[in-house]
Amino acid sequence: MTPTEDLHDEQTVTFRAPAEWAHQTASAPPVHQLLLLAETGAARRLPLAEFPVTIGRAPPAELVLEGGTISRRHCRLEDQDGHLLLTDLGSTNGTYVDGIRVEAPVRLEDGATITVGAHRLRYQRRGPDEAAEAEAMDRELQEAADYVASMLPPAIATGPVQTAWFHRPCTRLGGDAFGYQMLDPRTFAVFLLDVAGHGTGAALHSASIVNVLRRRLLPDVDFRDPAAVIRSLNQMFPMEQHNALFFTIWYGVYDLGDRALTFATGGHHAGYLLPLPKDDTPLWPPVALATQNPAIGIAPDGEMAAARIVVPPDSALYLFSDGAFEIVGRDGREWGLQEILPLLPAATGKDGPRALYDHVRAQARPGALDDDFSALLVRFP
């Protein structure tokens, strides 16, 4: 799976059916559907048109769920006078509805959670009009997600600067974004930003900022000057003119000739410079790269500070959003930067950002992460 493919996952909110659906006529039967849930927050809508439907791990089951926890014929769904009836078919690991093991056929209520082996599904019973509206909304959200995905840059596998990244919004659309480009043959620019909040509004704001940066639309600004860039962004995107939205950003420029990295942050936590692991070279601790500037859009126009560091050979820069470390662990303990920093040295390979996400996901409490996850790795051989 590529990082871009992950953007097509969805998170769907379940609503109770209105009371008038109890009076559906024969000409307008209810629409049954399942949402296949996952700990990542991804969900897939599965319309149910013909019954009965057998759920199992292989055909001839009509709905196939992979994994060793699923029996070949696990359970069956039947339509009974407009309501859905669930029957366990003697499965090894059982079928559960709202946490209770199914011992006899159970009529499903709208919003019921069905556990089939290691999989969770949520049942929805909708009127035809609302089902059609939900499908149309899904298509529109998917188009928006596709657009956001198209703005993210491809990884760079070879050369004097190499990149890898992983991005997973906590809902269908998120407020994180990042990018990089060569400003000229000698200068490489990179940024990561995080709009406060998530969802459609944050994603639209994020897309506007990315377009300004990648097309270099800040007037009279030298994009090789990080302080000038974030100062101009602050002038262009005041929160009172953008639906009270503000954002944080890390912006840096790397000079390939003298290996100098100049950077500025606007309300964002540090990026971290660290060595690429080598058998014969001792590791040095991650170096925090940040400047004391306010988040973008909050404060009136003012001067912004930048800093500069020489990048040693065989180094890497890690940028990530706060969704990577502001989590609650499975033990109920809240994470912070101190929890994620020890994970960085082992996640500097070409698949490092995905490995970082997998580790965070494994340590976080079940369910979707509370915020968008973005991790961007820039390697300097």
Side-chain angles (χ1 to χ4, degrees):
M1 179 177 288
T2 66
T4 301
E5 287 171 339
D6 287 305
L7 296 175
H8 300 302
D9 295 338
E10 66 172 315
Q11 173 97 355
T12 306
V13 179
T14 301
F15 298 91
R16 284 250 171 224
E20 60 266 24
W21 286 355
H23 304 291
Q24 291 284 344
T25 65
S27 61
V31 175
H32 305 286
Q33 53 193 7
L34 297 174
L35 297 179
L36 180 60
L37 308 176
E39 283 198 352
T40 60
R44 186 156 58 95
R45 192 181 302 274
L46 306 171
L48 303 173
E50 298 182 1
F51 295 95
V53 173
T54 299
I55 300 176
R57 71 167 181 264
E62 287 80 17
L63 176 54
V64 175
L65 299 177
E66 298 180 349
T69 59
I70 307 296
S71 297
R72 184 174 295 278
R73 296 178 72 253
H74 200 102
C75 58
R76 182 174 61 241
L77 296 168
E78 300 173 89
D79 187 351
Q80 186 180 75
D81 299 325
H83 294 274
L84 218 56
L85 199 67
L86 174 66
T87 304
D88 183 76
L89 300 177
S91 62
T92 301
N93 293 301
T95 303
Y96 294 78
V97 175
D98 294 332
I100 300 174
R101 184 160 185 161
V102 173
E103 303 292 350
V106 175
R107 195 173 89 164
L108 297 177
E109 299 294 335
D110 179 58
T113 298
I114 307 164
T115 303
V116 181
H119 298 274
R120 292 186 307 125
L121 304 106
R122 182 156 298 151
Y123 168 61
Q124 292 184 336
R125 184 174 184 267
R126 295 287 180 262
D129 290 344
E130 188 176 12
E133 290 175 2
E135 290 179 4
M137 181 64 72
D138 277 351
R139 289 193 296 271
E140 291 178 7
L141 286 174
Q142 189 59 59
E143 289 176 1
D146 290 342
Y147 173 67
V148 172
S150 73
M151 300 178 68
L152 298 177
I156 303 174
T158 61
V161 179
Q162 302 165 12
T163 64
W165 54 265
F166 184 82
H167 175 63
R168 172 65 61 78
C170 64
T171 60
R172 178 79 73 88
L173 295 169
D176 288 2
F178 49 86
Y180 40 81
Q181 60 180 317
M182 294 298 299
L183 300 178
D184 55 53
R186 182 185 174 113
T187 313
F188 176 83
V190 57
F191 68 88
L192 186 145
L193 64 91
D194 183 357
V195 176
H198 42 77
T200 304
L204 291 174
H205 197 47
S206 176
S208 298
I209 301 161
V210 170
N211 276 322
V212 166
L213 289 172
R214 71 176 184 172
R215 297 180 182 275
R216 307 182 208 176
L217 298 179
L218 298 173
D220 303 320
V221 169
D222 183 351
F223 277 77
R224 295 169 297 184
D225 181 349
V229 169
I230 65 171
R231 182 172 62 249
S232 185
L233 288 172
N234 194 50
Q235 295 169 349
M236 181 173 284
F237 293 100
M239 62 184 296
E240 61 269 18
Q241 296 179 19
H242 294 275
N243 199 31
L245 291 171
F246 64 93
F247 64 96
T248 67
I249 187 170
W250 195 103
Y251 183 93
V253 175
Y254 177 67
D255 188 307
L256 277 67
D258 59 17
R259 298 187 65 91
L261 177 64
T262 307
F263 58 91
T265 55
H268 204 278
H269 59 266
Y272 288 88
L273 188 70
L274 65 160
L276 295 172
K278 284 184 173 293
D279 293 339
D280 57 350
T281 303
L283 295 180
W284 34 275
V287 178
L289 305 181
T291 56
Q292 297 297 317
N293 299 311
I296 306 302
I298 294 180
D301 181 33
E303 291 301 314
M304 299 288 185
R308 182 177 183 272
I309 188 172
V310 175
V311 177
D314 298 316
S315 298
L317 170 67
Y318 240 120
L319 305 177
F320 43 85
S321 61
D322 55 15
F325 60 87
E326 290 184 350
I327 68 169
V328 177
R330 292 180 183 262
D331 58 1
R333 184 171 55 89
E334 294 185 0
W335 276 36
L337 271 171
Q338 65 274 13
E339 275 75 28
I340 199 170
L341 294 184
L343 308 178
L344 300 183
T348 54
K350 293 183 178 180
D351 295 324
R354 176 60 196 246
L356 183 65
Y357 171 80
D358 288 342
H359 190 94
V360 170
R361 176 65 268 165
Q363 297 298 316
R365 63 185 174 185
L369 294 181
D370 294 330
D371 202 353
D372 307 326
F373 180 104
S374 294
L376 170 60
L377 174 68
V378 183
R379 295 158 54 96
F380 306 104

